[in-house]
Amino acid sequence: MTDSAAENAPPLDDPAALARFGRLDVVARLIVEGYMMGQHKSPFKGSSVEFVEHRQYYPGDEIRHIDWRAYGKTGKYYVKEFEDETNLRCYLLLDASGSMGYGQSTLTKFEYARQMAAALAYLLMRQRDAVGLCLFDRKLRTMLEPSTNATQFPRLIDALQTATPGRETSLSRVFEDILPRLKRRSLIVLLSDLFDRIEPLQTALKRFRHYHHEVVVLQTIAPEEEEFPFSRPTQFENLERDNNRLLVDPHRLRKHYLEQYQQFDEQLERVCRKTGVDRVKVSTSQPFAETLGRYLAYRSRGR
């Protein structure tokens, strides 16, 4: 990179600045390539190298494709991937419901999750993985089947670029609609705040696992939702329903809200653990590359 290019490049640790820099596809490349170049500085060093060049051995794979050098270093079996092979099929499930439209001090949750979806699509297709997309609120709005075709990434970007948050959602009901459409075992990456009733959500996640899909949740949360930093009388709006606003005294509400949020968070953690779903909890203030690194760390562990 030339000195002038370096000066004009946006700061990779600032999600809002990156989002303003250009289209989703341009920023996706910056995130992925910047992360790969900076691995030696990353707390997740090494996780992406194995993920990019190898995959975990599964019964039925040809023994001649095992990388014995990797086995000697790690004690685990990895299979070498060749350029004309597809590692996996992945569906990116992006929550476009009203609650994802929240953002005060940072990007909205939807803008953050949408950019992460673009970065993951770029990373996976660079590895010749087949990537598809499901956009939903209270119903499935867009579905692109996984493909490795060169035209797939622009199609995904166009769908993401034009999407906006809708209104209400019911994750369990939408998942019941999506599940029968998944024709083969796949990696499911769900980008959502997961704000829904716990019991139906648990049932839906169990069904994904019942059909042997691997599920990773990138739970996207705004800092204010975890910290509740409000000190003045504040008007709160239900983003999933029209004309539903309430002026409250934050001092009275704060303790109750934080208790309820903590309870929800603990229940959600138990649900994900019981159903075998990996939950990567991210804040919209967190650099995209850090979220990408955490995702790769989960993926590289295997099951």
Side-chain angles (χ1 to χ4, degrees):
M1 181 181 290
T2 65
D3 291 340
S4 60
E7 288 175 3
N8 294 327
L12 293 177
D13 60 349
D14 186 343
L18 272 174
R20 292 192 299 268
F21 183 72
R23 279 175 52 89
L24 292 173
D25 52 344
V26 174
V27 178
R29 290 184 175 91
L30 285 172
I31 293 167
V32 173
E33 292 170 6
Y35 174 78
M36 295 301 180
M37 289 175 61
Q39 282 185 83
H40 63 287
K41 297 178 182 178
S42 170
F44 309 104
K45 180 179 177 181
S47 63
S48 60
V49 176
E50 293 179 353
F51 181 64
V52 170
E53 298 179 353
H54 303 83
R55 66 171 171 79
Q56 189 177 358
Y57 171 84
Y58 291 101
D61 289 332
E62 293 192 44
I63 295 177
R64 65 191 177 92
H65 289 160
I66 292 177
D67 186 338
W68 295 106
R69 182 175 294 180
Y71 172 76
K73 291 180 179 179
T74 66
K76 297 179 181 180
Y77 294 106
Y78 290 96
V79 176
K80 289 183 179 180
E81 291 287 349
F82 299 95
E83 286 194 354
D84 59 348
E85 287 186 327
T86 295
N87 295 343
L88 51 80
R89 288 166 56 87
C90 175
Y91 286 91
L92 301 170
L93 273 57
L94 176 58
D95 184 350
S97 62
S99 66
M100 291 290 287
Y102 178 77
Q104 184 177 20
S105 61
T106 62
L107 294 173
T108 69
K109 292 182 286 183
F110 180 76
E111 289 169 331
Y112 189 96
R114 177 173 64 176
Q115 186 62 73
M116 277 310 306
L120 289 170
Y122 178 73
L123 172 69
L124 292 164
M125 295 200 71
R126 171 175 158 162
Q127 296 165 195
R128 298 185 181 271
D129 292 327
V131 184
L133 173 70
C134 295
L135 270 164
F136 65 89
D137 46 28
R138 61 183 175 187
K139 63 181 180 180
L140 182 60
R141 285 165 41 181
T142 301
M143 184 168 187
L144 299 177
E145 288 292 337
S147 173
T148 58
N149 192 287
T151 63
Q152 181 73 345
F153 185 62
R155 290 177 67 211
L156 289 167
I157 292 299
D158 286 344
L160 290 169
Q161 195 84 50
T162 57
T164 56
R167 285 321 235 178
E168 292 181 85
T169 191
S170 169
L171 295 177
S172 58
R173 194 160 56 228
V174 172
F175 293 165
E176 289 295 326
D177 184 25
I178 292 174
L179 191 56
R181 301 169 189 250
L182 308 184
K183 300 179 180 66
R184 289 169 49 190
R185 178 181 176 182
S186 304
L187 168 66
I188 308 298
V189 180
L190 172 61
L191 300 104
S192 171
D193 55 18
L194 295 181
F195 287 170
D196 202 354
R197 292 189 299 127
I198 291 291
E199 292 77 9
L201 178 60
Q202 178 173 343
T203 300
L205 292 175
K206 277 183 179 179
R207 290 205 63 204
F208 277 116
R209 297 295 294 137
H210 176 75
Y211 287 98
H212 306 292
H213 298 295
E214 182 180 355
V215 182
V216 178
V217 177
L218 294 183
Q219 186 191 5
T220 310
I221 300 295
E224 293 83 7
E225 291 174 327
E226 285 203 299
E227 301 163 6
F228 204 82
F230 310 103
S231 58
R232 300 177 182 177
T234 305
Q235 183 170 259
F236 290 87
E237 179 182 4
N238 186 333
L239 294 175
E240 299 198 353
R241 297 191 179 184
D242 293 321
N243 302 318
N244 196 341
R245 299 182 180 184
L246 186 64
L247 183 66
V248 301
D249 178 357
H251 293 290
R252 295 184 179 181
L253 184 61
R254 188 173 192 276
K255 181 179 179 182
H256 177 71
Y257 170 86
L258 291 176
E259 288 175 351
Q260 292 295 308
Y261 181 85
Q262 182 67 27
Q263 183 180 1
F264 170 79
D265 188 66
E266 291 172 356
Q267 289 176 331
L268 196 55
E269 179 61 29
R270 285 195 295 269
V271 164
C272 290
R273 191 166 54 246
K274 286 180 181 178
T275 54
V277 168
D278 287 325
R279 180 174 73 136
V280 183
K281 188 175 178 184
V282 300
S283 168
T284 53
S285 62
Q286 184 174 314
F288 291 123
E290 185 178 334
T291 299
L292 180 65
R294 293 180 63 194
Y295 163 82
L296 290 171
Y298 271 84
R299 288 289 298 130
S300 68
R301 291 174 196 170
R303 285 200 175 279

